[in-house]
Amino acid sequence: MKQLPKESVSVIVTSPPYNLKNSTGNGMKDGRGGKWSNASLINGYTDHDDCMPHEEYVQWQRRCLTEMMRVLKQDGAIFYNHKWRVQDGLLQDRSDIVAGFPVRQIIIWKRKGGINFNAGYFLPTYEVIYLIAKPDFKLAPKANAMGDVWEIPQARDNEHPAPFPIELAERCIAATNGGVVLDPFMGSGTTAIAAEHLNREWIGAELSAEYCKMAKNRIKKVITHKNKSTVGT
């Protein structure tokens, strides 16, 4: 992002690593918790172990958000997807990450439920999307009629260990008034695919060469399909 000019993108849709392996429980550390016994993230990402000391993780994400704000136009917005967790018996609501940034709204992404092996709290069934907006940001016409609870199933048929639903990214992008879309944690290319579906220009950044290859293959299929559809009409 530091290579991008100031105020050069209109909307950012991203879901960073959640630092799940930095956990007070055993589930994400060694799989004994049952809940994560078949989860790919037990081994972390290919180039990121997802197990940073909490304060280090918070500072990293705050630096990322600071850069996002720098490259965002004055009428732009960030859709920053994150997950609240219980750590040491207390809610970790990510307020330490977003404090001081212009959070305009919290959108609830309601997922399908899973299995909860912890008797200390109810089964978590949602994640949050922080709408972090520059002063002149306005939603696209009629988008303000949508509610702030979005019921969207988890992604399927995606080899990435923490896939992001295309429908969720599409809903974020479609609610804005055009311009370049950025995802600084592109992963398997979901934000780019959503942007392609909506005929929006996009920029993506990804550390992992494996995930870049995965993203390129997925995006290529979408573009090929679009081109065939154009020829057919």
Side-chain angles (χ1 to χ4, degrees):
M1 281 191 291
K2 289 182 178 179
Q3 299 177 33
L4 295 176
K6 180 181 178 182
E7 297 183 11
S8 56
V9 301
S10 294
V11 58
I12 298 171
V13 179
T14 197
S15 183
Y18 292 166
N19 210 33
L20 289 177
K21 288 188 69 179
N22 180 254
S23 175
T24 58
N26 289 320
M28 280 301 288
K29 289 182 178 178
D30 56 23
R32 287 183 298 169
K35 180 179 179 182
W36 300 103
S37 59
N38 297 312
S40 299
L41 280 180
I42 289 176
N43 300 317
Y45 297 88
T46 58
D47 291 271
H48 178 70
D49 65 6
D50 209 35
C51 192
M52 299 170 71
H54 179 69
E55 288 303 319
E56 183 180 330
Y57 174 77
V58 168
Q59 291 307 311
W60 173 47
Q61 284 302 298
R62 288 184 63 81
R63 289 195 302 271
C64 290
L65 282 171
T66 298
E67 276 300 303
M68 292 184 217
M69 291 295 290
R70 184 187 67 81
V71 303
L72 198 65
K73 292 183 177 181
Q74 286 300 305
D75 60 352
I78 304 166
F79 292 84
Y80 180 72
N81 171 227
H82 222 303
K83 185 177 183 178
W84 291 357
R85 305 167 65 202
V86 174
Q87 294 292 287
D88 290 318
L90 297 174
L91 180 65
Q92 190 181 76
D93 64 0
R94 309 303 182 177
S95 58
D96 47 3
I97 293 176
V98 300
F101 291 99
V103 177
R104 185 171 295 186
Q105 191 170 22
I106 291 177
I107 300 161
I108 301 298
W109 168 28
K110 187 179 184 302
R111 305 177 286 108
K112 295 292 185 182
I115 300 174
N116 185 13
F117 289 89
N118 194 313
Y121 50 86
F122 297 103
L123 170 67
T125 60
Y126 71 90
E127 296 185 17
V128 300
I129 302 169
Y130 292 97
L131 175 57
I132 303 172
K134 283 284 187 78
D136 298 332
F137 174 73
K138 295 289 189 298
L139 291 167
K142 300 182 180 181
N144 64 337
M146 290 193 298
D148 57 3
V149 178
W150 299 354
E151 189 166 354
I152 297 173
Q154 293 97 316
R156 295 286 186 268
D157 301 322
N158 190 330
E159 295 179 4
H160 191 275
F164 188 62
I166 295 174
E167 183 183 348
L168 187 62
E170 282 185 354
R171 194 172 297 191
C172 295
I173 296 168
T176 66
N177 285 298
V180 176
V181 179
L182 168 67
D183 186 349
F185 294 96
M186 182 62 84
S188 61
T190 297
T191 298
I193 290 170
E196 286 287 342
H197 286 170
L198 296 168
N199 295 314
R200 295 278 287 271
E201 293 183 317
W202 56 269
I203 301 169
E206 173 54 50
L207 177 68
S208 166
E210 179 182 334
Y211 301 155
C212 283
K213 183 178 179 180
M214 193 183 300
K216 287 178 181 178
N217 289 336
R218 295 179 73 218
I219 295 164
K220 183 178 180 181
K221 289 179 182 178
V222 171
I223 293 174
T224 300
H225 179 75
K226 283 175 62 178
N227 291 339
K228 286 182 178 178
S229 298
T230 302
V231 172
T233 56

